């Protein structure tokens, strides 16, 4: 501690709190708001239950002001209590003191840990259906598509066309995730489709008033893939064995 004078500690805490606040604000439009609160404020049993109900009901897809507000609250909590310790940390641990690590390790590890905690906090959980292995495979897919796939983007007159390609495990992941994401995009009103390629999938998104070409160009492959915030509820459904695996 002696190497970190209190002023520095406070400054770092302030930056973290500001980041947490910004995160909550950004996430206030959707299920991420809830997610943000969980990460920031910790999760007690009633929270866990609410969270589950949301996820189960897929209410998260259409969340409105309520969740936004809660996301804000999470941010404020983070801001008020936020120190170096657990409050700004991850994944529902009430580890508020300095010196108690909150980071679970890899992001995929933490994602599974959070989901397992939600299942364990749910007395009505049907353990005969639980499939953590399926969630793990999906997280491997996400890793492959996010970090390993090649994305060749071509700007069209009225949209963007992206050849997403790879080999082996990466190719499998592309074939599962990109067409599935097109369905999600269409559900939130985007004009998207996909075509099969021998070594991947071609993703085509047409510009619209809501999604002008300049924005599609800027977003590119990954910016388009993160639209919709459906992964969080889907991850819980996969773990519960309630998600039709594609
Ligand atoms: Cu996912």
């Amino acid at each position: 501690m002696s190497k970190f004078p209190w002023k520095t500690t406070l400054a770092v805490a302030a930056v973290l709190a500001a980041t947490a606040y910004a995160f909550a604000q950004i996430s206030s439009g959707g299920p991420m708001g809830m997610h943000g609160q969980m990460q920031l404020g910790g999760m007690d049993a009633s929270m866990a239950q609410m969270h589950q109900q949301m996820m189960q009901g897929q209410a998260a897809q259409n969340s409105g002001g309520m969740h936004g507000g809660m996301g804000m609250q999470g941010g404020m909590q983070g801001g008020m209590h936020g120190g170096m310790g657990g409050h700004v940390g991850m994944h529902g641990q009430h580890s508020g003191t300095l010196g108690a690590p909150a980071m679970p390790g890899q992001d995929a590890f933490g994602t599974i840990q959070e989901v397992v905690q939600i299942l364990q906090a749910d007395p009505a959980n049907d353990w005969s259906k639980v499939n953590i292995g399926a969630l793990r495979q999906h997280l491997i897919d996400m890793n492959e598509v996010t970090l390993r796939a090649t994305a060749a983007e071509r700007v069209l007159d009225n949209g963007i066309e992206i050849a997403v390609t790879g080999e082996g495990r990466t190719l499998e992941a592309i074939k599962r995730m990109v067409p599935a994401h097109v369905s999600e995009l269409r559900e939130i009103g985007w004009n998207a489709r996909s075509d099969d390629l021998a070594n991947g999938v071609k993703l085509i998104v047409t510009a619209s008033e809501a999604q002008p070409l300049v924005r599609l160009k800027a977003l590119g492959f990954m910016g388009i893939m993160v639209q919709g915030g459906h992964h969080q509820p889907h991850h819980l459904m996969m773990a519960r064995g309630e998600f039709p695996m594609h």
Side-chain angles (χ1 to χ4, degrees):
M1 221 26 229
S2 58
K3 284 189 180 168
F4 299 92
W6 66 271
K7 270 188 182 170
T8 309
T9 309
L10 274 186
V12 171
V15 169
L16 284 174
T19 308
Y21 182 72
F23 175 71
Q25 290 235 307
I26 290 163
S27 13
S28 64
M32 289 292 288
M34 207 60 195
H35 202 67
Q37 157 124 19
M38 279 178 56
Q39 290 186 334
L40 295 165
M43 182 178 68
D44 59 23
S46 63
M47 274 298 299
Q49 208 178 13
M50 276 178 63
H51 188 250
Q52 269 156 227
Q53 284 164 356
M54 270 182 57
M55 294 312 182
Q56 274 175 344
Q58 284 286 289
Q61 295 280 2
N62 311 308
S63 64
M66 178 190 125
H67 309 132
M70 301 188 71
M72 282 280 291
Q73 208 175 40
M76 294 306 286
Q77 260 178 26
M80 285 187 291
H81 303 299
M84 294 288 292
H87 280 98
V88 182
M90 308 280 286
H91 303 296
Q93 298 292 340
H94 285 282
S95 51
T97 52
L98 240 155
M103 297 297 286
Q106 286 82 2
D107 48 6
F109 188 97
T111 299
I112 294 174
Q113 183 179 55
E114 182 184 72
V115 163
V116 167
Q117 284 171 349
I118 291 170
L119 297 182
Q120 287 177 341
D122 176 12
N125 180 51
D126 183 352
W127 289 98
S128 73
K129 289 199 188 136
V130 165
N131 190 348
I132 303 299
L135 174 56
R136 176 170 181 252
Q137 286 306 316
H138 170 73
L139 293 172
I140 294 171
D141 280 0
M142 292 188 73
N143 216 50
E144 294 292 330
V145 168
T146 305
L147 302 178
R148 289 188 205 277
T150 301
E153 300 171 1
R154 197 160 72 92
V155 178
L156 311 172
D157 287 345
N158 64 338
I160 185 169
E161 181 187 278
I162 307 157
V164 189
T165 56
E167 290 175 2
R169 187 64 182 77
T170 309
L171 177 57
E172 285 175 36
I174 291 167
K175 294 275 189 192
R176 272 192 290 265
M177 273 189 68
V178 177
H181 188 64
V182 164
S183 309
E184 298 292 340
L185 286 175
R186 294 167 79 102
E187 255 175 54
I188 59 171
W190 288 49
N191 200 339
R193 65 185 173 92
S194 62
D195 289 339
D196 261 349
L197 298 172
N199 59 344
V201 171
K202 190 189 282 180
L203 171 64
I204 304 112
V205 182
T206 305
S208 65
E209 204 172 317
Q211 305 303 334
L213 186 57
V214 63
R215 192 186 301 182
L216 294 178
K217 271 168 69 175
L219 289 171
F221 175 50
M222 240 335 111
I224 291 170
M225 285 301 288
V226 300
Q227 301 296 320
H230 46 269
H231 281 265
Q232 291 86 343
H234 286 178
H235 294 170
L236 186 57
M237 289 169 71
M238 282 173 200
R240 286 191 190 281
E242 290 171 354
F243 196 80
M245 298 308 289
H246 10 265

